[in-house]
Amino acid sequence: MSSTLVLPGDSIPLPSSSKSVILGPGIAASSSRIQAPHMGTTPTCISTRLGLLSSLKGKEKSEQVWVEGSSKRYIPAQKDMVLGTIIAKHAEGFRVDLGSAHMASLEGLAFEGATKRSKPNLKVGTLVYARVSLANRDMEPEIECFDPNTGKAEGFGELKGGLMLTCSLQLCRHLLNPNFPLLPALAASVPFEIAVGLNGRVWFKTETVSESIAVKRVIEGVDSGEIKAEKKDVENAVKEYLA
């Protein structure tokens, strides 16, 4: 499935083996239905851009489906994890830059434990890790810094210190794949915290400046193709940059 080339407007049947399907970038729901053998009709989706049809199975028989393209501009999609920079404050919340065509809205109550009397006081320039809660074509996207299922932060919120770098959208999506070897290989050599946004931004925090430089150069090297995302190659690159 990951090697299938699709064009804008192509029909994409939903996987029948999965209990729930999450539509990612490049795929939109369609009102049409197709005839499936012994199953009557099943709903379909359509591709909105040129690229490779990709999928990733998650927990409890869920599956995410998206179109892997070469787009450089991030288009917000619901449930995406993103890194944003606060560019303005207002009475009800904040306006956040995600690197997309439109700024995102972040309510002051969209944080763990936030109330009308107790809201986070974030300054302009603050980096936040958030989740896209609303993404419609003709509206500004909305983001939130907590998990609505648990009411807890679950890693979302303000990111203090560390370093943020800009990567390709494809690399960021690969970094969130548990089978992609880059982050485990880096963690074997350098201890660090990391937050990956599907909008082409990566934040990480290490104990020393030299380790930060090494991690930054390795991630940029893998993104440019100069370094292979294999354990031996990554470990050798880290040793070279730390020497």
Side-chain angles (χ1 to χ4, degrees):
M1 184 175 182
S2 59
S3 61
T4 303
L5 180 67
V6 294
L7 302 174
D10 282 357
S11 177
I12 301 176
L14 298 180
S16 58
S17 59
S18 301
K19 183 182 297 184
S20 62
V21 179
I22 302 173
L23 301 182
I27 298 180
S30 172
S31 58
S32 63
R33 301 174 72 88
I34 62 172
Q35 188 72 29
H38 311 296
M39 296 181 61
T41 59
T42 59
T44 64
C45 298
I46 59 172
S47 170
T48 60
R49 67 186 184 194
L50 171 68
L52 296 176
L53 185 61
S54 306
S55 64
L56 178 64
K57 292 186 178 181
K59 298 179 181 179
E60 298 180 356
K61 294 185 178 181
S62 65
E63 186 169 354
Q64 184 176 9
V65 183
W66 72 94
V67 176
E68 189 78 56
S70 58
S71 174
K72 296 182 179 179
R73 172 62 68 91
Y74 171 67
I75 301 176
Q78 195 166 0
K79 296 184 179 181
D80 273 1
M81 293 177 289
V82 293
L83 285 165
T85 304
I86 293 178
I87 60 171
K89 297 170 61 176
H90 53 80
E92 300 299 326
F94 312 91
R95 289 180 62 79
V96 184
D97 173 31
L98 300 180
S100 58
H102 302 285
M103 301 300 144
S105 174
L106 174 61
E107 291 188 5
L109 298 177
F111 293 83
E112 179 184 0
T115 63
K116 291 184 178 180
R117 292 186 177 182
S118 176
K119 298 179 183 179
N121 184 23
L122 303 180
K123 298 179 180 180
V124 173
T126 298
L127 185 67
V128 294
Y129 191 44
R131 172 182 175 273
V132 178
S133 57
L134 179 64
N136 291 332
R137 183 175 182 178
D138 301 320
M139 296 175 61
E140 286 188 347
E142 295 181 6
I143 60 177
E144 56 192 7
C145 289
F146 72 105
D147 189 332
N149 297 322
T150 62
K152 302 295 183 180
E154 303 292 350
F156 296 119
E158 180 183 1
L159 297 175
K160 299 180 181 179
L163 180 67
M164 186 189 79
L165 58 93
T166 302
C167 303
S168 65
L169 303 181
Q170 291 75 23
L171 177 63
C172 289
R173 190 167 292 278
H174 288 320
L175 291 177
L176 292 173
N177 184 346
N179 297 323
F180 193 65
L182 175 56
L183 293 184
L186 272 175
S189 303
V190 178
F192 61 90
E193 299 176 45
I194 192 167
V196 180
L198 289 172
N199 56 333
R201 297 175 180 178
V202 177
W203 172 90
F204 60 90
K205 185 177 182 180
T206 64
E207 297 179 353
T208 65
V209 175
S210 59
E211 290 177 344
S212 294
I213 294 175
V215 172
K216 177 178 182 294
R217 288 182 175 177
V218 169
I219 293 177
E220 290 177 340
V222 172
D223 195 21
S224 64
E226 296 178 2
I227 302 175
K228 294 182 179 180
E230 301 296 335
K231 184 177 180 180
K232 290 184 178 180
D233 296 277
V234 172
E235 290 179 348
N236 291 335
V238 172
K239 290 180 181 178
E240 179 182 348
Y241 293 134
L242 288 178

